[in-house]
Amino acid sequence: AESLFRQALEKRTNTLGPEHMDTLRSTHDLGAFYRERKRFDEAAALLERALMLDEKRLGPQHPYTFETLNTLATLKEDRNDRDGAVRLREIIFTRRSAFLDRMLWVTGENAREGYIRLHTPELHAYLALLPKLPPAVGGEKALQVSLERKGLLLRIASEVQQVVRLARDPALKQVSDDLTRARKDLAVLTLAGPTPETQGRHLDVIHEIEERITTLEGTLDRQATASAPPRRAAPVTLSDIAAALQAKAVLIDFYSYRADGEQKLLAAVMTKKGKKPVYTLIAYADLAGIEAAIKQYRDGIQDEDIEEGDLRADGQAAYTRIFDPLRTVIGTAKEVYIVPDGLLNITPFNALITEKGHYLIEDRDLHILSSVRDLVASALPPAKGSYLINAGPNYDLRNTDVKTVIETLERRRSVELEQRLRAFSSGMRGLKFSPLPGAEKEGQLIVERIKENKKSYKIYSTDAAEEEILKTIATPPEVLHIATHGFFLKADDSLRKRLLKMQRSSEIQVPPPGDNPLLRAGLAFAGINTNAQFLGEIDTENDGVLTALEVLGLNLEGTKLAVLSACETGLGEIHEGEGVYGLQRAFQEAGARSVINSLWEV
């Protein structure tokens, strides 16, 4: 093998020159071979030379540059050079964050997910080093990782939805189109390396495109502000987080990662000493035990036959596993902010049982955040719109706007047409929801309370409780309350059993849905029972299903509170480092500052 690696390097050097990208690749490959053979000095010499020329010729964010950095970092770990490895892993993390910002804007939903998964191992390699550092240093670095990476995919998806929305405005369309093209150009050049057109000034061309993108983003934001505030938020720093954290409060940010063939968990903690932030890092020894305790408690809560003593014992067991390692840093703090990860996203924290036998909500004021960024107050003013209530839709409504379309489709449906339907829609065909008179009454009771407080409101029930009410919001409501059926389709779950619990006599046939989890979580509105079999063929603007992906496009900037009074609105597909792909997060990304949702059937 060594002979062949050497031949490849020599031939490429002689034919292409010492600084051609293929020559640099061979330099890396021979260095990586030496590392595997534990010939560390020879490996270091080749890898350091490759890195210098990668950065000079290909730029800091080319895939070859990243590969050389990762191999060099692993070499330093092999040599027990902890500080050197951390320094390189931190460089990789910072550069990869910038790389992802370039790429995620110009790819589809599945490709974005692919990029994150592809580069997860290098992120986990960095996280695995942090518990080896002094706790204060490790805690600060772990919070920086969370700040930049947690929830990145949904944040990008939300901002992409904003750009799409702005592009519908003729005055903004040209700027939006120019921005999209510039982002694509930057992504292509980043991945390609020097081309015949950019040879000799490759990095200069990349810098020019970056400047063009910055200018276009500023233009789009300024022009958009005239009609609606832009959603692109200024970058949040750890200093901003520290300033936002109250003096006696505690911030706990969990991160799940893989190391040494096992899934592990750490918690980065921030407290305050006066105005100065104090960081620490807690590494958990038994994530499998924590997850088993969470599952047992969740199952117990949903078991109608469980004894009260057994349930409380399960709640205390889950509490002990999660909070015992944190007891010293939390102390007596009342205000506790938690950013969960993995299965912790669906943990009923408030219902955990403390060592004193209390529910945790009785001893602490818990705030569950999707990201540490949520701790920083929005720069946008609170919404001034009326309270908006959508409660108790008539699921059997036959909307006159789609009646003609449905009749036409009924006449000309064919196998060929069905094969062209959007994948996710087929997963919702056959959904049939029973009436919710209690939800309609819920809306009426809320109106009575609003009247007592002399607030303005709009309420939509029965036939009027349509999906398009939310999609055509002109002024964001101060409070949004939705009382209806909610659902989340698992990738391999038809929801038949779950829906049959609510509708004992219904015959429901639901084929497997598509693979985008944001299209598998939704709320039902007026007309869904009529439209269900035609989903994907009729216009999605008012088909009776509001998916989480559609929620990202709602105008809820500054809405103080969104109440999702429906089944399992806090559930979704759990993605480590991303949170839950579902309704709760979608409403937050759409602008709602707080969301009340349910982990259970209502």
Side-chain angles (χ1 to χ4, degrees), residues 180-465:
T180 299
R181 277 192 295 271
R183 284 175 172 159
K184 286 181 178 178
D185 290 344
L186 181 61
V188 168
L189 278 181
T190 299
L191 293 176
T195 65
E197 293 76 20
T198 66
Q199 196 71 40
R201 55 185 305 270
H202 177 70
L203 298 185
D204 291 337
V205 174
I206 284 181
H207 181 63
E208 289 168 7
I209 297 175
E210 289 173 336
E211 288 189 333
R212 188 159 85 243
I213 289 172
T214 300
T215 301
L216 288 167
E217 285 176 344
T219 302
L220 190 65
D221 282 355
R222 284 193 299 275
Q223 292 186 15
T225 304
S227 56
R231 290 186 191 160
R232 173 174 274 272
V236 176
T237 66
L238 281 184
S239 296
D240 297 327
I241 303 295
L245 189 67
Q246 298 162 17
K248 296 182 180 179
V250 179
L251 170 64
I252 306 166
D253 194 340
F254 292 97
Y255 223 117
S256 176
Y257 66 99
R258 192 164 187 81
D260 303 323
E262 296 180 5
Q263 204 67 24
K264 300 189 177 184
L265 181 71
L266 57 77
V269 182
M270 178 192 286
T271 54
K272 298 283 279 292
K273 188 173 183 179
K275 293 185 177 180
K276 186 179 179 182
V278 177
Y279 302 96
T280 193
L281 189 70
I282 307 293
Y284 285 81
D286 183 17
L287 177 57
I290 293 172
E291 291 184 338
I294 291 170
K295 288 177 182 176
Q296 184 162 331
Y297 191 39
R298 282 180 52 81
D299 290 345
I301 287 174
Q302 296 172 92
D303 183 355
E304 295 177 3
D305 298 322
I306 195 170
E307 295 291 335
E308 176 74 13
D310 293 339
L311 181 63
R312 294 184 71 85
D314 289 344
Q316 194 165 71
Y319 169 83
T320 299
R321 286 187 175 274
I322 296 169
F323 282 94
D324 260 14
L326 297 165
R327 188 171 296 175
T328 302
V329 291
I330 293 179
T332 59
K334 280 289 193 184
E335 296 278 334
V336 180
Y337 295 85
I338 295 175
V339 187
D341 196 16
L343 202 64
L344 290 168
N345 279 292
I346 56 172
T347 299
F349 280 100
N350 281 312
L352 295 177
I353 307 293
T354 70
E355 68 278 1
K356 298 177 182 178
H358 301 161
Y359 286 110
L360 187 51
I361 195 173
E362 297 177 276
D363 292 347
R364 313 273 188 181
D365 187 3
L366 296 186
H367 307 264
I368 311 300
L369 310 178
S370 296
S371 162
V372 289
R373 292 186 297 272
D374 296 342
L375 193 64
V376 178
S378 171
L380 297 171
K384 302 294 185 183
S386 304
Y387 280 42
L388 178 59
I389 302 140
N390 195 309
N394 174 13
Y395 303 116
D396 295 320
L397 174 69
R398 197 170 177 87
N399 190 313
T400 55
D401 292 340
V402 297
K403 182 178 179 181
T404 304
V405 178
I406 290 176
E407 289 172 349
T408 302
L409 289 170
E410 286 173 335
R411 288 194 298 269
R412 69 175 177 83
R413 234 178 175 180
S414 67
V415 173
E416 181 185 25
L417 180 63
E418 290 182 11
Q419 289 174 344
R420 295 200 303 264
L421 298 178
R422 293 177 301 179
F424 84 90
S425 298
S426 66
M428 298 182 194
R429 294 245 178 100
L431 288 181
K432 185 174 177 62
F433 294 100
S434 56
L436 291 177
E440 183 181 354
K441 179 65 175 176
E442 182 178 319
Q444 295 166 355
L445 291 171
I446 290 171
V447 166
E448 291 177 15
R449 178 59 58 87
I450 294 172
K451 286 179 178 177
E452 290 174 11
N453 294 322
K454 297 181 171 55
K455 291 276 190 178
S456 62
Y457 69 92
K458 294 177 183 176
I459 182 169
Y460 301 89
S461 295
T462 62
D463 290 0

Side-chain angles (χ1 to χ4, degrees), residues 157-169 176 220:
S158 177
E159 293 183 11
V160 166
Q161 287 291 103
Q162 179 207 9
V163 172
V164 170
R165 180 169 58 85
L166 294 177
R168 295 172 186 158
D169 184 338
S176 177
L220 190 65

